[in-house]
Amino acid sequence: MDFTAEHDLGDIMKVMELCKNKTGISDEAAKNFKPHQVPQTHDEQCYLACINHELDFVFPNNTMNLERVKQFYAGLKTMYPDPDFYEKSIKVVEICATKVTANSDDCAAAKIYMECYVDEANKIGLKIPGH
């Protein structure tokens, strides 16, 4: 999927629905899923992995597609009141991109990325959306 600043919530919701069907996550778990929260169950990890792949945030070998992720965060610049949101987000993403080795398990990689994102965001005072 070519994710640009023009994407809207509806497009993301379509990806989430597609991944719900692909992974078999329960309706309740999908409904309660928060994009910037560490997935606790295997189903949640696989659901997040699917979203990451469908939005091209990771390459097929599970390494991070930094250019795509930077493009995504650039599209969010105007949505958050913190003027340093973009720069802080990119710093966190660049750190977390080093945490997963190529060809790691999809579901495990998704959890590792999100654990890193939450930890590193907290360290630098990045306000995580929805938290």
Side-chain angles (χ1 to χ4, degrees), residues 7-73:
H7 267 65
D8 61 16
L9 183 60
D11 292 324
I12 294 171
M13 297 304 289
K14 286 177 191 170
V15 166
M16 292 174 79
E17 184 65 24
L18 172 74
C19 289
K20 184 175 86 111
N21 294 331
K22 274 187 169 183
T23 63
I25 192 171
S26 72
D27 290 341
E28 187 68 22
K31 179 181 166 192
N32 293 325
F33 178 80
K34 293 187 177 34
H36 288 99
Q37 181 175 311
V38 177
Q40 298 302 309
T41 67
H42 186 72
D43 284 350
E44 291 170 351
Q45 293 167 20
C46 294
Y47 181 63
L48 178 59
C50 178
I51 292 168
N52 287 344
H53 281 283
E54 290 296 325
L55 294 177
D56 294 326
F57 290 169
V58 294
F59 291 111
N61 69 357
N62 285 316
T63 57
M64 191 175 292
N65 182 345
L66 281 172
E67 291 308 309
R68 180 70 71 206
V69 174
K70 288 177 181 180
Q71 183 183 33
F72 169 76
Y73 279 106

Short mmCIF file of all heavy atoms in Angstrom, two decimals, residues 7-73:
data_model
loop_
_atom_site.label_atom_id
_atom_site.label_comp_id
_atom_site.label_asym_id
_atom_site.label_seq_id
_atom_site.Cartn_x
_atom_site.Cartn_y
_atom_site.Cartn_z
N HIS A 7 -3.52 9.66 2.98
CA HIS A 7 -4.31 8.54 3.52
C HIS A 7 -5.15 9.05 4.68
O HIS A 7 -4.76 9.94 5.41
CB HIS A 7 -3.40 7.42 4.01
CG HIS A 7 -3.15 6.39 2.97
ND1 HIS A 7 -2.48 6.65 1.82
CD2 HIS A 7 -3.50 5.10 2.91
CE1 HIS A 7 -2.41 5.57 1.10
NE2 HIS A 7 -3.03 4.61 1.74
N ASP A 8 -6.28 8.47 4.84
CA ASP A 8 -7.13 8.88 5.94
C ASP A 8 -7.44 7.69 6.83
O ASP A 8 -7.00 6.57 6.57
CB ASP A 8 -8.41 9.55 5.44
CG ASP A 8 -9.26 8.63 4.58
OD1 ASP A 8 -9.05 7.40 4.61
OD2 ASP A 8 -10.15 9.14 3.89
N LEU A 9 -8.16 7.97 7.87
CA LEU A 9 -8.51 6.94 8.84
C LEU A 9 -9.23 5.77 8.18
O LEU A 9 -9.01 4.62 8.55
CB LEU A 9 -9.38 7.55 9.95
CG LEU A 9 -9.77 6.64 11.08
CD1 LEU A 9 -8.53 6.10 11.79
CD2 LEU A 9 -10.64 7.38 12.08
N GLY A 10 -10.03 6.05 7.19
CA GLY A 10 -10.76 4.98 6.50
C GLY A 10 -9.83 3.97 5.86
O GLY A 10 -10.09 2.77 5.88
N ASP A 11 -8.72 4.44 5.28
CA ASP A 11 -7.75 3.54 4.67
C ASP A 11 -7.10 2.65 5.73
O ASP A 11 -6.89 1.46 5.51
CB ASP A 11 -6.66 4.34 3.93
CG ASP A 11 -7.21 5.05 2.71
OD1 ASP A 11 -8.10 4.50 2.04
OD2 ASP A 11 -6.77 6.18 2.45
N ILE A 12 -6.75 3.24 6.85
CA ILE A 12 -6.14 2.47 7.93
C ILE A 12 -7.15 1.46 8.47
O ILE A 12 -6.80 0.31 8.76
CB ILE A 12 -5.60 3.39 9.03
CG1 ILE A 12 -4.43 4.22 8.47
CG2 ILE A 12 -5.16 2.59 10.25
CD1 ILE A 12 -3.94 5.30 9.38
N MET A 13 -8.39 1.87 8.59
CA MET A 13 -9.43 0.96 9.07
C MET A 13 -9.59 -0.23 8.12
O MET A 13 -9.82 -1.35 8.55
CB MET A 13 -10.76 1.69 9.26
CG MET A 13 -10.71 2.80 10.31
SD MET A 13 -10.16 2.24 11.93
CE MET A 13 -11.57 1.29 12.43
N LYS A 14 -9.45 0.01 6.81
CA LYS A 14 -9.54 -1.08 5.84
C LYS A 14 -8.41 -2.07 6.04
O LYS A 14 -8.62 -3.28 5.97
CB LYS A 14 -9.50 -0.52 4.41
CG LYS A 14 -10.77 0.18 3.99
CD LYS A 14 -10.63 0.77 2.60
CE LYS A 14 -11.79 1.69 2.29
NZ LYS A 14 -11.56 2.46 1.06
N VAL A 15 -7.21 -1.56 6.30
CA VAL A 15 -6.07 -2.44 6.56
C VAL A 15 -6.31 -3.24 7.83
O VAL A 15 -6.05 -4.45 7.88
CB VAL A 15 -4.75 -1.63 6.65
CG1 VAL A 15 -3.63 -2.47 7.24
CG2 VAL A 15 -4.37 -1.11 5.28
N MET A 16 -6.82 -2.58 8.86
CA MET A 16 -7.09 -3.28 10.12
C MET A 16 -8.13 -4.38 9.92
O MET A 16 -7.99 -5.48 10.47
CB MET A 16 -7.51 -2.28 11.19
CG MET A 16 -6.36 -1.36 11.59
SD MET A 16 -6.83 -0.05 12.73
CE MET A 16 -6.86 -0.96 14.27
N GLU A 17 -9.14 -4.13 9.13
CA GLU A 17 -10.17 -5.15 8.85
C GLU A 17 -9.57 -6.30 8.04
O GLU A 17 -9.82 -7.47 8.32
CB GLU A 17 -11.35 -4.53 8.10
CG GLU A 17 -12.49 -5.48 7.85
CD GLU A 17 -13.20 -5.97 9.12
OE1 GLU A 17 -13.15 -5.28 10.16
OE2 GLU A 17 -13.79 -7.06 9.06
N LEU A 18 -8.77 -5.97 7.06
CA LEU A 18 -8.09 -6.99 6.26
C LEU A 18 -7.23 -7.88 7.17
O LEU A 18 -7.27 -9.12 7.07
CB LEU A 18 -7.21 -6.33 5.20
CG LEU A 18 -6.29 -7.26 4.42
CD1 LEU A 18 -7.08 -8.09 3.42
CD2 LEU A 18 -5.21 -6.48 3.72
N CYS A 19 -6.49 -7.25 8.07
CA CYS A 19 -5.61 -8.01 8.97
C CYS A 19 -6.40 -8.80 10.01
O CYS A 19 -5.96 -9.88 10.42
CB CYS A 19 -4.60 -7.08 9.63
SG CYS A 19 -3.35 -6.49 8.43
N LYS A 20 -7.53 -8.29 10.39
CA LYS A 20 -8.39 -9.06 11.31
C LYS A 20 -8.80 -10.36 10.63
O LYS A 20 -8.73 -11.44 11.22
CB LYS A 20 -9.62 -8.24 11.69
CG LYS A 20 -10.52 -8.92 12.73
CD LYS A 20 -11.64 -8.03 13.16
CE LYS A 20 -12.77 -8.13 12.26
NZ LYS A 20 -14.00 -8.69 12.53
N ASN A 21 -9.16 -10.27 9.37
CA ASN A 21 -9.57 -11.47 8.62
C ASN A 21 -8.39 -12.39 8.35
O ASN A 21 -8.53 -13.61 8.43
CB ASN A 21 -10.25 -11.06 7.32
CG ASN A 21 -11.57 -10.36 7.57
OD1 ASN A 21 -12.24 -10.60 8.57
ND2 ASN A 21 -11.94 -9.46 6.68
N LYS A 22 -7.23 -11.82 8.02
CA LYS A 22 -6.05 -12.63 7.71
C LYS A 22 -5.53 -13.38 8.93
O LYS A 22 -5.08 -14.51 8.82
CB LYS A 22 -4.92 -11.74 7.18
CG LYS A 22 -4.95 -11.46 5.72
CD LYS A 22 -3.68 -10.73 5.33
CE LYS A 22 -3.54 -10.65 3.84
NZ LYS A 22 -2.26 -10.00 3.46
N THR A 23 -5.56 -12.74 10.09
CA THR A 23 -4.95 -13.33 11.28
C THR A 23 -5.93 -14.12 12.13
O THR A 23 -5.51 -14.92 12.96
CB THR A 23 -4.31 -12.26 12.17
OG1 THR A 23 -5.32 -11.36 12.66
CG2 THR A 23 -3.24 -11.48 11.42
N GLY A 24 -7.22 -13.85 11.98
CA GLY A 24 -8.22 -14.53 12.79
C GLY A 24 -8.31 -14.01 14.21
O GLY A 24 -8.90 -14.66 15.08
N ILE A 25 -7.77 -12.81 14.46
CA ILE A 25 -7.89 -12.21 15.79
C ILE A 25 -9.37 -12.03 16.10
O ILE A 25 -10.18 -11.77 15.21
CB ILE A 25 -7.12 -10.87 15.85
CG1 ILE A 25 -6.98 -10.38 17.30
CG2 ILE A 25 -7.74 -9.83 14.97
CD1 ILE A 25 -6.05 -9.18 17.46
N SER A 26 -9.74 -12.16 17.35
CA SER A 26 -11.15 -12.03 17.72
C SER A 26 -11.63 -10.60 17.49
O SER A 26 -10.84 -9.65 17.51
CB SER A 26 -11.36 -12.42 19.18
OG SER A 26 -10.83 -11.42 20.04
N ASP A 27 -12.93 -10.46 17.29
CA ASP A 27 -13.51 -9.13 17.12
C ASP A 27 -13.21 -8.25 18.32
O ASP A 27 -12.88 -7.07 18.18
CB ASP A 27 -15.04 -9.22 16.92
CG ASP A 27 -15.41 -9.82 15.59
OD1 ASP A 27 -14.57 -9.85 14.67
OD2 ASP A 27 -16.57 -10.28 15.46
N GLU A 28 -13.31 -8.83 19.52
CA GLU A 28 -13.07 -8.08 20.76
C GLU A 28 -11.62 -7.61 20.84
O GLU A 28 -11.35 -6.45 21.17
CB GLU A 28 -13.41 -8.96 21.97
CG GLU A 28 -13.35 -8.22 23.29
CD GLU A 28 -14.43 -7.16 23.46
OE1 GLU A 28 -15.48 -7.23 22.80
OE2 GLU A 28 -14.22 -6.25 24.28
N ALA A 29 -10.68 -8.47 20.54
CA ALA A 29 -9.26 -8.11 20.59
C ALA A 29 -8.94 -7.04 19.55
O ALA A 29 -8.20 -6.10 19.82
CB ALA A 29 -8.38 -9.34 20.40
N ALA A 30 -9.50 -7.17 18.36
CA ALA A 30 -9.27 -6.17 17.31
C ALA A 30 -9.87 -4.82 17.72
O ALA A 30 -9.27 -3.77 17.50
CB ALA A 30 -9.86 -6.64 15.99
N LYS A 31 -11.04 -4.86 18.32
CA LYS A 31 -11.71 -3.63 18.76
C LYS A 31 -10.89 -2.92 19.84
O LYS A 31 -10.82 -1.69 19.86
CB LYS A 31 -13.10 -3.98 19.31
CG LYS A 31 -13.88 -2.81 19.81
CD LYS A 31 -15.24 -3.27 20.36
CE LYS A 31 -15.87 -2.17 21.17
NZ LYS A 31 -17.01 -2.65 21.92
N ASN A 32 -10.26 -3.67 20.72
CA ASN A 32 -9.50 -3.09 21.83
C ASN A 32 -8.04 -2.80 21.47
O ASN A 32 -7.30 -2.26 22.30
CB ASN A 32 -9.54 -4.03 23.04
CG ASN A 32 -10.93 -4.11 23.61
OD1 ASN A 32 -11.68 -3.14 23.61
ND2 ASN A 32 -11.30 -5.29 24.08
N PHE A 33 -7.63 -3.14 20.26
CA PHE A 33 -6.25 -2.94 19.84
C PHE A 33 -5.91 -1.45 19.78
O PHE A 33 -6.67 -0.65 19.26
CB PHE A 33 -6.04 -3.57 18.46
CG PHE A 33 -4.67 -3.38 17.91
CD1 PHE A 33 -3.64 -4.18 18.33
CD2 PHE A 33 -4.42 -2.39 16.98
CE1 PHE A 33 -2.36 -4.01 17.82
CE2 PHE A 33 -3.15 -2.20 16.47
CZ PHE A 33 -2.12 -3.02 16.89
N LYS A 34 -4.75 -1.10 20.32
CA LYS A 34 -4.25 0.27 20.27
C LYS A 34 -2.92 0.24 19.52
O LYS A 34 -2.01 -0.50 19.89
CB LYS A 34 -4.08 0.83 21.67
CG LYS A 34 -5.40 1.02 22.38
CD LYS A 34 -5.20 1.73 23.71
CE LYS A 34 -6.45 2.02 24.45
NZ LYS A 34 -7.54 1.14 24.39
N PRO A 35 -2.79 1.05 18.47
CA PRO A 35 -1.61 0.98 17.60
C PRO A 35 -0.26 1.21 18.29
O PRO A 35 0.75 0.73 17.83
CB PRO A 35 -1.86 2.06 16.56
CG PRO A 35 -3.32 2.29 16.59
CD PRO A 35 -3.78 1.97 17.97
N HIS A 36 -0.24 1.97 19.36
CA HIS A 36 1.03 2.24 20.04
C HIS A 36 1.08 1.60 21.43
O HIS A 36 1.58 2.17 22.37
CB HIS A 36 1.26 3.75 20.12
CG HIS A 36 1.61 4.34 18.80
ND1 HIS A 36 0.66 4.97 18.02
CD2 HIS A 36 2.76 4.37 18.11
CE1 HIS A 36 1.24 5.37 16.91
NE2 HIS A 36 2.52 5.02 16.94
N GLN A 37 0.56 0.41 21.50
CA GLN A 37 0.59 -0.36 22.74
C GLN A 37 1.25 -1.70 22.44
O GLN A 37 1.02 -2.28 21.39
CB GLN A 37 -0.83 -0.57 23.24
CG GLN A 37 -0.93 -1.33 24.54
CD GLN A 37 -2.38 -1.38 25.03
OE1 GLN A 37 -3.05 -0.36 25.07
NE2 GLN A 37 -2.82 -2.57 25.37
N VAL A 38 2.08 -2.17 23.35
CA VAL A 38 2.76 -3.44 23.13
C VAL A 38 1.74 -4.57 23.09
O VAL A 38 0.95 -4.73 24.03
CB VAL A 38 3.80 -3.71 24.25
CG1 VAL A 38 4.46 -5.07 24.05
CG2 VAL A 38 4.84 -2.60 24.29
N PRO A 39 1.71 -5.34 22.01
CA PRO A 39 0.76 -6.46 21.92
C PRO A 39 1.13 -7.55 22.92
O PRO A 39 2.30 -7.94 23.01
CB PRO A 39 0.91 -6.93 20.48
CG PRO A 39 2.26 -6.48 20.05
CD PRO A 39 2.57 -5.24 20.84
N GLN A 40 0.15 -8.02 23.66
CA GLN A 40 0.41 -8.98 24.73
C GLN A 40 0.24 -10.43 24.29
O GLN A 40 0.96 -11.30 24.74
CB GLN A 40 -0.50 -8.69 25.93
CG GLN A 40 -0.25 -7.32 26.53
CD GLN A 40 1.19 -7.13 26.99
OE1 GLN A 40 1.73 -7.96 27.70
NE2 GLN A 40 1.82 -6.05 26.55
N THR A 41 -0.71 -10.70 23.44
CA THR A 41 -0.98 -12.07 23.03
C THR A 41 -0.37 -12.33 21.65
O THR A 41 -0.07 -11.39 20.90
CB THR A 41 -2.49 -12.36 22.96
OG1 THR A 41 -3.05 -11.59 21.88
CG2 THR A 41 -3.18 -12.01 24.28
N HIS A 42 -0.23 -13.59 21.33
CA HIS A 42 0.29 -13.96 20.01
C HIS A 42 -0.62 -13.42 18.90
O HIS A 42 -0.13 -12.92 17.88
CB HIS A 42 0.44 -15.48 19.91
CG HIS A 42 1.10 -15.92 18.64
ND1 HIS A 42 2.44 -15.74 18.39
CD2 HIS A 42 0.59 -16.52 17.54
CE1 HIS A 42 2.73 -16.20 17.19
NE2 HIS A 42 1.62 -16.69 16.66
N ASP A 43 -1.93 -13.51 19.11
CA ASP A 43 -2.87 -12.99 18.11
C ASP A 43 -2.67 -11.50 17.89
O ASP A 43 -2.69 -11.01 16.76
CB ASP A 43 -4.32 -13.25 18.54
CG ASP A 43 -4.75 -14.69 18.35
OD1 ASP A 43 -4.01 -15.47 17.72
OD2 ASP A 43 -5.83 -15.03 18.86
N GLU A 44 -2.49 -10.74 18.97
CA GLU A 44 -2.25 -9.29 18.85
C GLU A 44 -0.94 -9.00 18.15
O GLU A 44 -0.85 -8.08 17.34
CB GLU A 44 -2.25 -8.63 20.24
CG GLU A 44 -3.61 -8.62 20.91
CD GLU A 44 -3.54 -8.18 22.37
OE1 GLU A 44 -2.42 -8.04 22.92
OE2 GLU A 44 -4.61 -7.98 22.97
N GLN A 45 0.09 -9.79 18.45
CA GLN A 45 1.39 -9.61 17.80
C GLN A 45 1.27 -9.85 16.29
O GLN A 45 1.80 -9.07 15.50
CB GLN A 45 2.42 -10.56 18.40
CG GLN A 45 2.77 -10.26 19.84
CD GLN A 45 3.54 -11.38 20.49
OE1 GLN A 45 4.13 -12.23 19.82
NE2 GLN A 45 3.54 -11.40 21.82
N CYS A 46 0.57 -10.89 15.91
CA CYS A 46 0.41 -11.22 14.49
C CYS A 46 -0.47 -10.19 13.78
O CYS A 46 -0.24 -9.87 12.61
CB CYS A 46 -0.15 -12.63 14.34
SG CYS A 46 1.00 -13.90 14.92
N TYR A 47 -1.45 -9.67 14.48
CA TYR A 47 -2.32 -8.62 13.93
C TYR A 47 -1.48 -7.37 13.65
O TYR A 47 -1.56 -6.80 12.56
CB TYR A 47 -3.43 -8.34 14.95
CG TYR A 47 -4.44 -7.29 14.56
CD1 TYR A 47 -5.26 -7.47 13.46
CD2 TYR A 47 -4.62 -6.15 15.34
CE1 TYR A 47 -6.22 -6.52 13.12
CE2 TYR A 47 -5.58 -5.21 15.02
CZ TYR A 47 -6.37 -5.39 13.91
OH TYR A 47 -7.33 -4.46 13.59
N LEU A 48 -0.64 -6.97 14.60
CA LEU A 48 0.23 -5.82 14.40
C LEU A 48 1.24 -6.09 13.27
O LEU A 48 1.49 -5.22 12.44
CB LEU A 48 0.97 -5.46 15.69
CG LEU A 48 1.95 -4.30 15.60
CD1 LEU A 48 1.25 -3.01 15.13
CD2 LEU A 48 2.63 -4.08 16.95
N ALA A 49 1.76 -7.30 13.22
CA ALA A 49 2.69 -7.66 12.13
C ALA A 49 2.02 -7.50 10.77
O ALA A 49 2.61 -6.95 9.84
CB ALA A 49 3.18 -9.09 12.32
N CYS A 50 0.79 -7.95 10.67
CA CYS A 50 0.04 -7.82 9.43
C CYS A 50 -0.14 -6.35 9.05
O CYS A 50 0.09 -5.96 7.91
CB CYS A 50 -1.32 -8.52 9.56
SG CYS A 50 -2.36 -8.37 8.09
N ILE A 51 -0.51 -5.54 10.02
CA ILE A 51 -0.69 -4.10 9.76
C ILE A 51 0.63 -3.49 9.29
O ILE A 51 0.66 -2.74 8.30
CB ILE A 51 -1.23 -3.38 11.02
CG1 ILE A 51 -2.67 -3.84 11.32
CG2 ILE A 51 -1.16 -1.87 10.86
CD1 ILE A 51 -3.19 -3.43 12.68
N ASN A 52 1.72 -3.84 9.97
CA ASN A 52 3.03 -3.32 9.57
C ASN A 52 3.38 -3.69 8.14
O ASN A 52 3.89 -2.87 7.38
CB ASN A 52 4.12 -3.84 10.52
CG ASN A 52 4.09 -3.18 11.88
OD1 ASN A 52 3.46 -2.15 12.08
ND2 ASN A 52 4.76 -3.80 12.83
N HIS A 53 3.07 -4.94 7.77
CA HIS A 53 3.36 -5.39 6.40
C HIS A 53 2.44 -4.73 5.39
O HIS A 53 2.90 -4.27 4.33
CB HIS A 53 3.26 -6.91 6.30
CG HIS A 53 4.47 -7.62 6.83
ND1 HIS A 53 5.65 -7.72 6.13
CD2 HIS A 53 4.68 -8.25 8.00
CE1 HIS A 53 6.53 -8.38 6.85
NE2 HIS A 53 5.96 -8.73 7.99
N GLU A 54 1.16 -4.65 5.69
CA GLU A 54 0.20 -4.07 4.75
C GLU A 54 0.46 -2.58 4.51
O GLU A 54 0.21 -2.07 3.42
CB GLU A 54 -1.24 -4.27 5.23
CG GLU A 54 -1.71 -5.70 5.17
CD GLU A 54 -1.78 -6.26 3.75
OE1 GLU A 54 -2.10 -5.51 2.81
OE2 GLU A 54 -1.50 -7.46 3.60
N LEU A 55 0.97 -1.88 5.52
CA LEU A 55 1.28 -0.46 5.37
C LEU A 55 2.71 -0.24 4.90
O LEU A 55 3.18 0.89 4.80
CB LEU A 55 1.04 0.28 6.70
CG LEU A 55 -0.42 0.33 7.16
CD1 LEU A 55 -0.53 1.02 8.52
CD2 LEU A 55 -1.30 1.03 6.14
N ASP A 56 3.40 -1.33 4.60
CA ASP A 56 4.79 -1.30 4.13
C ASP A 56 5.74 -0.67 5.13
O ASP A 56 6.76 -0.09 4.76
CB ASP A 56 4.91 -0.59 2.77
CG ASP A 56 4.22 -1.33 1.66
OD1 ASP A 56 4.22 -2.58 1.69
OD2 ASP A 56 3.66 -0.67 0.76
N PHE A 57 5.43 -0.79 6.42
CA PHE A 57 6.33 -0.30 7.46
C PHE A 57 7.53 -1.22 7.62
O PHE A 57 8.57 -0.80 8.13
CB PHE A 57 5.61 -0.17 8.80
CG PHE A 57 4.59 0.93 8.86
CD1 PHE A 57 3.72 0.99 9.94
CD2 PHE A 57 4.48 1.89 7.88
CE1 PHE A 57 2.77 2.01 10.03
CE2 PHE A 57 3.53 2.91 7.95
CZ PHE A 57 2.68 2.97 9.03
N VAL A 58 7.38 -2.47 7.23
CA VAL A 58 8.48 -3.42 7.26
C VAL A 58 8.57 -4.10 5.90
O VAL A 58 7.58 -4.23 5.18
CB VAL A 58 8.32 -4.48 8.38
CG1 VAL A 58 8.41 -3.85 9.76
CG2 VAL A 58 7.04 -5.26 8.24
N PHE A 59 9.79 -4.50 5.57
CA PHE A 59 10.01 -5.26 4.34
C PHE A 59 9.60 -6.71 4.59
O PHE A 59 9.42 -7.12 5.73
CB PHE A 59 11.49 -5.18 3.94
CG PHE A 59 11.91 -3.81 3.48
CD1 PHE A 59 12.79 -3.05 4.25
CD2 PHE A 59 11.45 -3.28 2.29
CE1 PHE A 59 13.20 -1.79 3.84
CE2 PHE A 59 11.84 -2.01 1.86
CZ PHE A 59 12.72 -1.27 2.64
N PRO A 60 9.47 -7.51 3.54
CA PRO A 60 9.08 -8.91 3.72
C PRO A 60 9.98 -9.68 4.70
O PRO A 60 9.52 -10.62 5.33
CB PRO A 60 9.16 -9.49 2.31
CG PRO A 60 8.87 -8.32 1.42
CD PRO A 60 9.53 -7.15 2.12
N ASN A 61 11.24 -9.27 4.86
CA ASN A 61 12.13 -9.97 5.79
C ASN A 61 12.05 -9.41 7.21
O ASN A 61 12.85 -9.76 8.07
CB ASN A 61 13.57 -9.92 5.28
CG ASN A 61 14.19 -8.54 5.34
OD1 ASN A 61 13.55 -7.55 5.70
ND2 ASN A 61 15.45 -8.46 4.97
N ASN A 62 11.10 -8.52 7.46
CA ASN A 62 10.81 -7.91 8.76
C ASN A 62 11.77 -6.81 9.19
O ASN A 62 11.69 -6.33 10.31
CB ASN A 62 10.67 -8.95 9.87
CG ASN A 62 9.35 -9.66 9.75
OD1 ASN A 62 8.32 -9.04 9.52
ND2 ASN A 62 9.37 -10.98 9.86
N THR A 63 12.68 -6.39 8.33
CA THR A 63 13.47 -5.22 8.66
C THR A 63 12.61 -3.99 8.38
O THR A 63 11.72 -4.01 7.52
CB THR A 63 14.79 -5.15 7.87
OG1 THR A 63 14.50 -5.18 6.48
CG2 THR A 63 15.72 -6.30 8.26
N MET A 64 12.87 -2.92 9.11
CA MET A 64 12.02 -1.74 9.01
C MET A 64 12.28 -0.97 7.72
O MET A 64 13.41 -0.77 7.32
CB MET A 64 12.24 -0.82 10.21
CG MET A 64 11.20 0.29 10.28
SD MET A 64 11.35 1.30 11.77
CE MET A 64 10.89 0.14 13.03
N ASN A 65 11.21 -0.54 7.10
CA ASN A 65 11.26 0.31 5.91
C ASN A 65 11.26 1.76 6.41
O ASN A 65 10.20 2.39 6.52
CB ASN A 65 10.05 0.01 5.02
CG ASN A 65 10.04 0.81 3.75
OD1 ASN A 65 10.77 1.78 3.59
ND2 ASN A 65 9.18 0.40 2.83
N LEU A 66 12.43 2.27 6.74
CA LEU A 66 12.52 3.59 7.37
C LEU A 66 11.92 4.70 6.51
O LEU A 66 11.29 5.61 7.04
CB LEU A 66 13.98 3.92 7.69
CG LEU A 66 14.53 3.27 8.94
CD1 LEU A 66 16.02 3.50 9.08
CD2 LEU A 66 13.81 3.78 10.18
N GLU A 67 12.11 4.64 5.21
CA GLU A 67 11.57 5.70 4.36
C GLU A 67 10.04 5.74 4.43
O GLU A 67 9.44 6.81 4.50
CB GLU A 67 12.04 5.54 2.92
CG GLU A 67 13.53 5.81 2.76
CD GLU A 67 13.96 7.15 3.37
OE1 GLU A 67 13.34 8.19 3.07
OE2 GLU A 67 14.93 7.16 4.15
N ARG A 68 9.41 4.58 4.43
CA ARG A 68 7.95 4.52 4.50
C ARG A 68 7.45 5.02 5.86
O ARG A 68 6.48 5.76 5.95
CB ARG A 68 7.47 3.09 4.27
CG ARG A 68 5.97 2.94 4.33
CD ARG A 68 5.25 3.58 3.17
NE ARG A 68 5.52 2.80 1.99
CZ ARG A 68 5.49 3.28 0.76
NH1 ARG A 68 5.19 4.53 0.54
NH2 ARG A 68 5.75 2.52 -0.26
N VAL A 69 8.15 4.63 6.92
CA VAL A 69 7.75 5.05 8.26
C VAL A 69 7.92 6.56 8.41
O VAL A 69 7.05 7.25 8.96
CB VAL A 69 8.52 4.27 9.35
CG1 VAL A 69 8.20 4.80 10.73
CG2 VAL A 69 8.18 2.78 9.26
N LYS A 70 9.01 7.10 7.89
CA LYS A 70 9.22 8.55 7.94
C LYS A 70 8.12 9.28 7.18
O LYS A 70 7.62 10.32 7.62
CB LYS A 70 10.59 8.92 7.36
CG LYS A 70 11.74 8.53 8.27
CD LYS A 70 13.07 8.85 7.62
CE LYS A 70 14.23 8.44 8.52
NZ LYS A 70 15.54 8.74 7.91
N GLN A 71 7.73 8.72 6.05
CA GLN A 71 6.65 9.30 5.25
C GLN A 71 5.34 9.31 6.05
O GLN A 71 4.61 10.30 6.04
CB GLN A 71 6.50 8.49 3.96
CG GLN A 71 5.47 9.01 2.99
CD GLN A 71 5.35 8.09 1.78
OE1 GLN A 71 5.51 6.87 1.88
NE2 GLN A 71 5.06 8.68 0.63
N PHE A 72 5.07 8.22 6.76
CA PHE A 72 3.88 8.13 7.59
C PHE A 72 3.89 9.22 8.67
O PHE A 72 2.91 9.95 8.84
CB PHE A 72 3.80 6.74 8.23
CG PHE A 72 2.75 6.61 9.30
CD1 PHE A 72 1.41 6.50 8.96
CD2 PHE A 72 3.10 6.59 10.63
CE1 PHE A 72 0.44 6.38 9.94
CE2 PHE A 72 2.14 6.47 11.62
CZ PHE A 72 0.80 6.37 11.28
N TYR A 73 5.00 9.34 9.40
CA TYR A 73 5.06 10.33 10.47
C TYR A 73 5.03 11.76 9.93
O TYR A 73 4.48 12.64 10.58
CB TYR A 73 6.29 10.09 11.36
CG TYR A 73 6.04 9.02 12.37
CD1 TYR A 73 6.60 7.76 12.24
CD2 TYR A 73 5.20 9.24 13.46
CE1 TYR A 73 6.34 6.75 13.16
CE2 TYR A 73 4.93 8.24 14.39
CZ TYR A 73 5.52 7.01 14.23
OH TYR A 73 5.24 6.03 15.14
#
